[in-house]
Amino acid sequence: MTSTATTPPPTAQPPGPTAEVELIVGGMTCASCAARVEKKLNRMDGVTATVNYATEKAKVSYPAGVDVADLIATVVKTGYTAEAPAPEPVRQDRADGEGGEGGQDAPADPELAGLRHRVLVSALLAAPVVLLAMIPSLQFDDWQWLSLTLAAPVVVWGGAPLHRAAWTNLRHGAATMDTLVSVGTLAALGWSLWALFLGDAGMPGMRHPFELTVSRTDGASTIYLEVAAGVTVFILLGRYLEARSKRRAGAALRALMELGAKDVAVLRGGKEIRIPVDGLAVGDRFVVRPGEKIATDGTVVEGVSAVDASMLTGESVPADVGPGDAVTGATVNAGGRLVVEAARIGADTRLARMARLVEEAQNGKAQVQRLADRISGIFVPVVLLIAVAVFGGWLLATGDTVAAFTSAVAVLIIACPCALGLATPTALMVGTGRGAQLGILIKGPEVLESTRRVDTVVLDKTGTVTTGRMTLQDVWTADGVDERELLRLAGALEHASEHPVARAVAAGAEERIGGLPAAERFENVPGRGVRGHVEGREVAVGRLFESVPQELARAVDAAEQAGRTAVVVGWDGEARGVLSVADAVKETSAEAVRELRALGLTPVLLTGDNQVVAEAVAQAVGIDRVIAGVLPEDKVDVVRRLQDEGRVVAMVGDGVNDAAALAAADLGLAMGTGTDAAIEASDLTLVRGDLRVAADAIRLSRRTLATIKGNLVWAFGYNVAALPLAAAGLLNPMIAGAAMAFSSVFVVTNSLRLRTFT
């Protein structure tokens, strides 16, 4: 998420290592505040900072000579508070079944509760004031003094946070949106006090007509109590709805960070001891019973079960696991009892890394935000000058002090560009949070720009389009040979081998016919195959036969032309059948390719396999262009060659050999089932190994970018259209305050629509 803040000027980093810290900044009330903090931090030697108004955090990179205390002191001197966050980015301290509710506020938020109380009291006091001013028939004798009694607490106490922020900024020689509201409401109250005590407005029987536009009246008999009170309430209400919406926008990240288990049954000395998750160490073995959350990332050492990872991956079907399989912390054991050996703990877990990626993305700054940043830095001083000019212009042109004052106050209030400051951060927060729920991790806002421009998607074959493991595909038998018998004998013999093709045959045979008999006198013939005795027969698999029947030879040719590996099976010296083995295409890959095409992308299949295998896979999923026989180190060259053709390239991969190509591509998408190197090098991480998520990720990124642009168009358009109306005297200040508050709420509400993305 980003704030509306000035882009830090490029500064030369001093030699030596740099460190990063994320400060929690308090006291910011608008995007201009974030701009000031960011500007002050970036003026420090070697410091680069991005301040996020929506999350109230500052991400700071600083050299060795600077201390965190220096950074905090700089923020404090600017007029705000700052503190370093707790060191652990993911808190695993919630009991199973607890977690953040996406649409609700956290139960304990004193700041939000205090703001709600201030809004309610102010609204109750201001309502009669506004009604008396707007409906002349309600104006009894001395009604104006009741209005003053009710309005003064609203402006002074209700608007205290606004006045306090304006005063703090004034002391530091700065002006923010709070300055505009504070000056406008206090001016309206001050004028009313002058008219009541020194003018004619305090006379018994005074009546006050209400008009949406300004008109020529006697200034000494005109009061603006309804403007002062009404604007204050509208601004406070807008702030409250904004704060509440921001909390809802960040609910996905909070829920993600609170998924972990509270405690764990660790095995110590052969006994189960229940301890807090924080006490778990790498190498510890712990028990996970059915229905419990897995405490941390690890490897199954005992037991067979199914694991529900839907809260992390969005995948609804539980995955089967057994000894040797990796499991992820915070996923749920949906089957039998498991014993897991901890491999990663604390900040190193997959859950912690996911949360970190989401939060870093929210703290970034999209290119589309740069114009808003530059404008917010100069907007408030310019508006103050415009208000003075409007007041002077009306006074010179008409001599009407009331009209001049009304127009100037309307300019001050309508101009507050709060919507501008919220346009990007809220959309980015909701978009990245929703992505995390769906198993899509967006690394930074600049990624959004890339998704809009991409026109070509390069798909790594193994592990991305295919499963990455060999599986049994087809079975051909000679005349008179039973297929089940062929599979039983071949599977039994191959079960004794560790070769990938042998494992695929054994697994396929066991899946199709059930249990397999044991093989005896097993022998591996290097480069040719295996042989041994099964159920009293001498069985051979591979190229161990002097002659093969013509129909089986045709089967071998058909398998090889389809890009598959063919193995001949026989016993007692005769070839009896042919099995074909291949890296199977994922069931969802063809649908994924269709979805990518629907997004306007041209798919390209990239693989180190031979052309025949690559063409077979491409044909199965509907890809026209194939680049085969590419060495791992040459994948980068392929990406760059496509870029030289004028294409904007997205790369989808999962292995170490894809990392460089993912980094070189305009947009890198890593399958979360792949290696850490690939994930680190990518821009988007797809937590589950389903290629369809790549299309979802691009669609979500484009939707988020479109929402940001829509918000900015509204925010810019609102201020551009409203300022001239206010300056021309066509806008009552109270209506201006309501419209300004509505614009901020509109922007946040528009961003929240991303929560419904599917």
Side-chain angles (χ1 to χ4, degrees):
M1 191 112 51
T2 88
S3 67
T4 301
T6 51
T7 305
T11 57
Q13 292 289 342
T18 60
E20 283 194 355
V21 67
E22 195 172 65
L23 301 177
I24 300 171
V25 181
M28 294 192 299
T29 56
C30 63
S32 294
C33 299
R36 290 193 57 235
V37 176
E38 186 172 287
K39 187 176 181 180
K40 292 287 187 181
L41 286 171
N42 282 312
R43 282 181 177 172
M44 298 176 68
D45 289 339
V47 172
T48 304
T50 301
V51 179
N52 184 334
Y53 165 52
T55 60
E56 299 177 338
K57 290 180 180 177
K59 185 177 180 182
V60 188
S61 174
Y62 59 96
V66 176
D67 190 71
V68 174
D70 299 331
L71 302 173
I72 293 175
T74 298
V75 177
V76 171
K77 287 177 185 175
T78 312
Y80 305 91
T81 63
E83 59 179 304
E88 191 67 53
V90 172
R91 293 177 54 216
Q92 295 183 324
D93 58 358
R94 297 290 294 269
D96 291 1
E98 293 183 15
E101 290 295 331
Q104 298 178 3
D105 300 326
D109 187 343
E111 187 176 344
L112 196 62
L115 185 55
R116 180 168 57 240
H117 176 70
R118 194 178 294 270
V119 170
L120 289 174
V121 173
S122 298
L124 287 173
L125 293 175
V129 178
V130 174
L131 289 174
L132 286 170
M134 292 180 66
I135 307 174
S137 60
L138 297 179
Q139 295 171 2
F140 53 87
D141 288 346
D142 298 323
W143 68 273
Q144 64 271 42
W145 296 104
L146 175 63
S147 292
L148 176 63
T149 305
L150 296 174
V154 175
V155 179
V156 176
W157 173 79
L162 308 173
H163 308 317
R164 194 181 304 119
W167 172 246
T168 299
N169 287 308
L170 181 63
R171 282 181 16 233
H172 291 86
T176 66
M177 284 83 153
D178 292 308
T179 307
L180 302 182
V181 178
S182 180
V183 169
T185 55
L186 289 177
L189 178 63
W191 180 287
S192 302
L193 290 172
W194 173 81
L196 284 168
F197 287 100
L198 301 176
D200 301 329
M203 300 293 291
M206 189 275 279
R207 296 294 181 264
H208 195 296
F210 179 81
E211 296 180 358
L212 291 178
T213 58
V214 300
S215 60
R216 299 178 65 87
T217 58
D218 178 14
S221 62
T222 303
I223 58 174
Y224 288 96
L225 293 172
E226 81 282 2
V227 171
V231 167
T232 300
V233 170
F234 283 130
I235 300 300
L236 287 174
L237 179 62
R239 290 278 169 89
Y240 170 71
L241 294 175
E242 171 191 320
R244 186 169 174 269
S245 297
K246 285 196 302 185
R247 291 184 56 76
R248 292 176 63 199
L253 178 58
R254 287 198 304 277
L256 183 67
M257 295 173 73
E258 293 170 349
L259 281 175
K262 179 182 178 181
D263 50 27
V264 57
V266 67
L267 292 173
R268 298 271 168 85
K271 295 182 179 180
E272 290 184 28
I273 303 173
R274 193 155 288 273
I275 63 171
V277 168
D278 293 343
L280 204 59
V282 173
D284 280 348
R285 293 190 174 191
F286 58 92
V287 176
V288 189
R289 291 182 174 79
E292 288 185 340
K293 287 182 179 177
I294 296 171
T296 193
D297 298 358
T299 305
V300 177
V301 292
E302 288 181 30
V304 176
S305 183
V307 172
D308 179 3
S310 57
M311 73 284 292
L312 289 184
T313 66
E315 180 59 68
S316 58
V317 181
D320 294 330
V321 297
D325 290 333
V327 290
T328 303
T331 55
V332 178
N333 178 13
R337 178 182 182 272
L338 294 175
V339 177
V340 178
E341 183 174 304
R344 292 174 177 168
I345 59 172
D348 295 328
T349 63
R350 191 178 186 190
L351 175 64
R353 289 163 59 211
M354 283 178 64
R356 216 162 35 237
L357 283 172
V358 174
E359 194 157 25
E360 286 173 2
Q362 294 179 348
N363 280 327
K365 194 180 291 287
Q367 184 64 33
V368 73
Q369 179 73 2
R370 304 302 183 191
L371 182 58
D373 285 351
R374 289 196 295 271
I375 287 178
S376 75
I378 60 172
F379 193 85
V380 174
V382 168
V383 168
L384 289 172
L385 291 175
I386 291 174
V388 172
V390 166
F391 181 82
W394 271 84
L395 203 57
L396 289 173
T398 65
D400 189 343
T401 309
V402 173
F405 176 80
T406 304
S407 299
V409 170
V411 166
L412 288 173
I413 292 169
I414 199 69
C416 294
C418 294
L420 199 61
L422 292 167
T424 295
T426 50
L428 194 58
M429 180 182 278
V430 180
T432 52
R434 181 59 180 153
Q437 290 178 326
L438 297 174
I440 302 164
L441 303 184
I442 303 171
K443 278 198 175 177
E446 50 288 331
V447 171
L448 305 177
E449 300 284 347
S450 301
T451 60
R452 178 176 57 86
R453 297 181 292 110
V454 163
D455 55 29
T456 302
V457 57
V458 176
L459 305 175
D460 172 60
K461 181 183 77 70
T462 307
T464 302
V465 177
T466 65
T467 61
R469 61 181 184 275
M470 303 294 279
T471 56
L472 179 63
Q473 300 290 312
D474 298 308
V475 181
W476 290 276
T477 59
D479 291 340
V481 177
D482 180 59
E483 181 176 313
R484 290 180 61 84
E485 183 180 22
L486 181 81
L487 286 171
R488 189 175 72 255
L489 297 177
L493 186 63
E494 294 283 57
H495 195 272
S497 173
E498 290 299 318
H499 193 279
V501 171
R503 286 203 300 270
V505 170
E510 194 166 15
E511 182 181 334
R512 297 188 189 195
I513 65 171
L516 300 174
E520 300 173 347
R521 288 185 276 175
F522 175 82
E523 180 188 357
N524 181 27
V525 183
R528 299 187 63 193
V530 294
R531 57 190 172 206
H533 285 75
V534 181
E535 296 182 335
R537 293 177 175 175
E538 186 177 347
V539 181
V541 178
R543 293 179 295 171
L544 296 170
F545 301 94
E546 293 183 2
S547 62
V548 177
Q550 190 173 1
E551 68 268 26
L552 295 184
R554 285 197 294 267
V556 171
D557 291 340
E560 290 177 347
Q561 287 176 9
R564 296 173 178 173
T565 299
V567 292
V568 180
V569 181
W571 52 87
D572 300 334
E574 292 185 23
R576 313 279 181 162
V578 174
L579 306 177
S580 75
V581 174
D583 180 7
V585 173
K586 292 179 181 178
E587 294 180 0
T588 57
S589 292
E591 183 182 346
V593 169
R594 287 195 297 272
E595 290 182 6
L596 290 169
R597 285 188 184 278
L599 290 171
L601 306 179
T602 302
V604 176
L605 187 68
L606 179 64
T607 180
D609 270 349
N610 63 63
Q611 191 73 27
V612 174
V613 172
E615 291 283 359
V617 171
Q619 186 176 1
V621 298
I623 295 176
D624 299 326
R625 184 170 180 180
V626 176
I627 303 175
V630 179
L631 297 174
E633 58 269 24
D634 294 335
K635 289 187 176 182
V636 175
D637 295 333
V638 171
V639 170
R640 287 178 178 153
R641 192 163 66 243
L642 289 169
Q643 290 169 331
D644 291 341
E645 293 174 8
R647 298 175 180 267
V648 181
V649 179
M651 168 79 188
V652 187
D654 73 326
V656 172
N657 57 359
D658 299 321
L662 287 168
D666 299 284
L667 179 68
L669 298 91
M671 308 295 277
T673 51
T675 64
D676 289 349
I679 292 170
E680 289 300 322
S682 67
D683 301 305
L684 286 163
T685 299
L686 316 177
V687 178
R688 68 179 192 259
D690 187 340
L691 188 57
R692 289 177 301 181
V693 183
D696 291 339
I698 292 173
R699 207 161 30 235
L700 174 61
S701 297
R702 289 181 175 179
R703 179 83 64 83
T704 304
L705 181 64
T707 301
I708 290 173
K709 289 189 171 182
N711 286 348
L712 287 172
V713 166
W714 167 264
F716 276 125
Y718 164 82
N719 285 115
V720 168
L723 267 175
L725 290 176
L730 300 176
L731 215 52
N732 180 283
M734 189 176 68
I735 303 300
M740 192 278 290
F742 169 75
S743 70
S744 295
V745 175
F746 172 85
V747 163
V748 176
T749 305
N750 187 46
S751 299
L752 286 171
R753 293 190 305 120
L754 287 168
R755 298 173 70 200
T756 63
F757 176 86
T758 56

